[in-house]
Amino acid sequence: MISVVIPTCDRSTNFLYKAVTSALTQTLKPIEVIVVDNGIRDADSAALPEGVKRFRLPPRIGASRARNFGAAMAQGSHVAFLDDDDWWDADFLREAWAVLQAEGTRCVYGRKDVLRHEVPQPYKCPSPQGMTIPRILRRNPGTGGQNLLIEKALFFSIGGFDEALKMSEDKALALEVLLAGERISVAPRAIVVLRHHDGERLRNTPFHKLGFLWKYRNLYGPLGGLRAIVRITHKTLRSLFLLFSIRH
């Protein structure tokens, strides 16, 4: 029924093990857990319990390509994605699947919590009202590569994750689902916990968002595109200022 795909790239053993075991110990058992390794170093075997399927890809090919490869290898009718530095609550798949079945949809996003001072705290919970094209164009309502459950046939019919995008590939996938005429469900009780740490996260380079803006320039229109560029530039300059202040 559900295959789980976890891309990993030079992640610490403890983080990866936590992610993998959270998938293996779901109250609604997945039929398989697939780890797609695209790091410079091989993932530590200690982080991969027995039964996990591991595929080795060339180093640093990117999370989107790794996710797409994992989905292509998946045997389930549905695919759930999890990042290698986050973990699911034990009922994530059960809650997400229940909403998918109750609402008759093919794609559902769960809730994001964040680990602060070793305690998970609410971070982002998508709402049905936020899952519209205009709102997703303006900001990320809570889509991600760690809180998504989607029918495999739908995933590939819209092209999977856009491998050309360096950032916002999660928003792009949600947009493509909507542009295909599908509804997106929200499962507020399907919880993923995100870590804040010193490792690399894709969302930390604001100018990479320009690729998303260019891809959907026709949806933004001239004025909307200009406003988006201004927001991105402002965030980038603010980040550079904070970085400069810390170093000096």
Side-chain angles (χ1 to χ4, degrees):
M1 186 169 59
I2 301 175
S3 298
V4 175
V5 173
I6 306 175
T8 188
C9 183
D10 298 322
R11 190 62 68 196
S12 72
T13 300
N14 290 341
F15 282 11
L16 179 57
Y17 181 78
K18 178 74 171 180
V20 170
T21 54
S22 79
L24 289 171
T25 57
Q26 290 289 297
T27 56
L28 178 61
K29 300 294 184 184
I31 65 169
E32 59 187 349
V33 174
I34 297 171
V35 172
V36 184
D37 185 3
N38 71 116
I40 296 175
R41 306 180 306 274
D42 286 348
D44 190 342
S45 59
L48 305 175
E50 185 178 354
V52 173
K53 297 180 180 179
R54 174 181 174 271
F55 293 94
R56 189 68 167 96
L57 297 185
R60 302 282 174 159
I61 61 169
S64 290
R65 188 173 296 181
R67 290 175 183 137
N68 291 342
F69 179 89
M73 296 297 103
Q75 298 180 11
S77 61
H78 291 70
V79 183
F81 295 93
L82 177 61
D83 286 347
D84 62 354
D85 52 349
D86 305 321
W87 73 89
W88 285 333
D89 178 80
D91 292 326
F92 179 89
L93 290 181
R94 181 177 298 279
E95 295 290 345
W97 183 255
V99 170
L100 207 67
Q101 298 303 300
E103 299 187 4
T105 51
R106 305 168 71 190
C107 176
V108 60
Y109 285 93
R111 184 180 102 204
K112 294 181 181 182
D113 287 359
V114 65
L115 191 67
R116 292 193 175 100
H117 308 295
E118 301 304 315
V119 178
Q121 299 179 18
Y123 174 51
K124 276 188 178 181
C125 183
S127 68
Q129 297 78 17
M131 290 300 186
T132 64
I133 291 173
R135 293 199 179 188
I136 292 176
L137 286 173
R138 180 169 177 80
R139 62 172 55 90
N140 191 331
T143 66
Q146 67 282 95
N147 63 333
L148 169 65
L149 172 62
I150 186 170
E151 184 185 271
K152 182 177 177 179
L154 173 61
F155 179 79
F156 281 109
S157 73
I158 61 172
F161 286 99
D162 189 337
E163 298 176 10
L165 293 177
K166 300 297 184 182
M167 276 187 72
S168 300
E169 75 287 351
D170 45 6
K171 285 205 310 178
L173 186 132
L175 271 181
E176 294 299 330
V177 171
L178 295 173
L179 290 170
E182 299 286 341
R183 292 186 297 117
I184 296 177
S185 292
V186 172
R189 296 171 61 183
I191 302 170
V192 61
V193 181
L194 282 63
R195 298 180 190 266
H196 280 316
H197 56 84
D198 295 332
E200 182 179 2
R201 289 203 82 116
L202 295 178
R203 60 175 175 264
N204 291 335
T205 49
F207 265 128
H208 283 158
K209 293 181 179 180
L210 292 175
F212 176 88
L213 175 60
W214 178 254
K215 178 176 181 176
Y216 296 107
R217 61 193 181 279
N218 292 334
L219 294 178
Y220 276 105
L223 184 57
L226 180 60
R227 288 173 176 167
I229 290 173
V230 170
R231 286 198 304 271
I232 293 170
T233 302
H234 174 73
K235 288 181 179 180
T236 303
L237 292 175
R238 184 175 61 183
S239 298
L240 291 174
F241 175 78
L242 290 173
L243 181 62
F244 181 81
S245 300
I246 292 172
R247 290 183 175 180
H248 295 81

